[in-house]
Amino acid sequence: MPLLVMKFGGTSVADLDRIANAAAKVKREVDRGYDVIVIVSAMSGKTNELVGWVEGTSPLYDAREYDAVVASGENVTAGLMALRLQEMGIPARSWQGWQVPINTTSAHGSARFKSIPRENIDTKFAEGMKVAVVAGFQGLSAENRITTLGRGGSDTTAVAFAAAFDAERCDIYTDVDGVYTTDPRISSKARKLDKIAFEEMLELASLGAKVLQTRSVELAMRFGVRLRVLSSFEETDETSGTLVCGEDEIMESKVVSGVAYSRDEAKITLFTIEDRPGVAQAIFGPLSEAGVNVDMIVQNISEKDYDDNHPGAVTDMTFSCPINQVARAQKALEDAKAAGKIKYDELIIDTDVAKVSVVGIGMRSQVGVAARTFEALAAENINIKVISTSEIKISVLIDRKYMELAVQALHDAFELEKA
Ligand code: ADP
Ligand code: ASP
Ligand code: MG
């Protein structure tokens, strides 16, 4: 029997009517002859509420209990979806992660898949079950504890099941009708893409476009899963939405294919650090041990850089990290200073920054993208604080109050509204 994976995100299962609407989409595929694995998210807002309860009880919580609590949102939806399908006459049942079992690492809050044995679900399909409804976002560690995969993780559950069960396709149903050139909530000129290359989607996701969790794109790329993003609120068919696929399936791509943003960034600067071998290690070692995800890094050129061997040379170091990791970063740096491992005069924290990025595989073969990016921002009088680039992206850190303006300016500059 051909098999499809269909994933429904939080807004698509926000209440009983929406669950019924999603179930009707599942029924359509069953009627077409598919076995279906449905992956569900928690009802919209539920996971945030659960996280709030955990933090309200224990600010420096035990991550294992955090997972036990926040994984529960998906359990409710899975049961409700199975019940709704049964009401429609479709043989369906729900599965929590541990029942499959979805085996993961023990990294609570950001666990990774180790294996998804097919046996239990396959046996039920063989007995006539048509739909397996699986709770997304969760798994089971070797220590027999419930784990979660990180926010947005149900996308990754869906792709992992599509790979494990050789699904014909993995359809991600959400509240937009595909992947756009930028977040349609930020720019009314955003244009829906029919196709996007895995690598571009990977960059966009990791730079903040939350339409797909980064890890889901990584897995789809690795296992060659046909991944599609489409609307759960509209009539859809095989041609709807956006296909995330190999570069070879895309005839021609523009230099820049999308603009992403990340609102919750912070910038930390260490003033007057020593300019000698080993200093970067002394700074970023403790940050890494404290679990801080350092993103962009800039080290100023030393005043005395012309002379490699100049004792006493000093410089400044700036880096960015997610805003909710600032307290941890600050503590790690202050502790390292107190222990005499690093020296600095001043530590300045700026929590009013955002990152805006342009992404496109066409950048590999085209020059001038950086110049055009900076020109567009300059024309709006937006100051750039930090820049970082890779082969297919340019990111800038700017004041958060200009974030939306910057996204729109870059979208215009690269004429992304035009196909
Ligand atoms: P779900 O609950 O279905 O997982 P998410 O809220 O996680 O949905 O992701 C969908 C949202 O992603 C959209 O509502 C949109 O605001 C946002 N988004 C950000 N960037 C993009 C983009 N380039 N294309 C489409 N949506 C985007
Ligand atoms: N419910 C989880 C979250 O809100 C997982 C998901 O929806 O993908 O992050
Ligand atoms: Mg999501």
Side-chain angles (χ1 to χ4, degrees), residues 245-310:
C245 58
E247 252 174 76
D248 50 319
E249 284 191 60
I250 297 172
M251 294 294 278
E252 206 175 336
S253 61
K254 303 182 78 164
V255 188
V256 165
S257 52
V259 182
Y261 64 87
S262 167
R263 196 185 296 273
D264 302 317
E265 301 284 320
K267 174 168 76 67
I268 300 183
T269 304
L270 295 164
F271 283 102
T272 333
I273 59 168
E274 295 168 279
D275 189 17
R276 60 164 176 80
V279 167
Q281 153 62 22
I283 293 172
F284 294 108
L287 287 169
S288 149
E289 277 160 33
V292 177
N293 295 309
V294 171
D295 178 20
M296 304 160 110
I297 300 177
V298 217
Q299 182 182 320
N300 283 355
I301 216 151
S302 166
E303 273 172 42
K304 294 169 181 161
D305 222 33
Y306 53 86
D307 181 353
D308 265 354
N309 241 337
H310 206 114

Side-chain angles (χ1 to χ4, degrees), residues 54 86 189 210 228 248 336:
V54 169
Q86 289 173 5
K189 291 186 192 165
K210 68 168 184 162
R228 192 162 69 132
D248 50 319

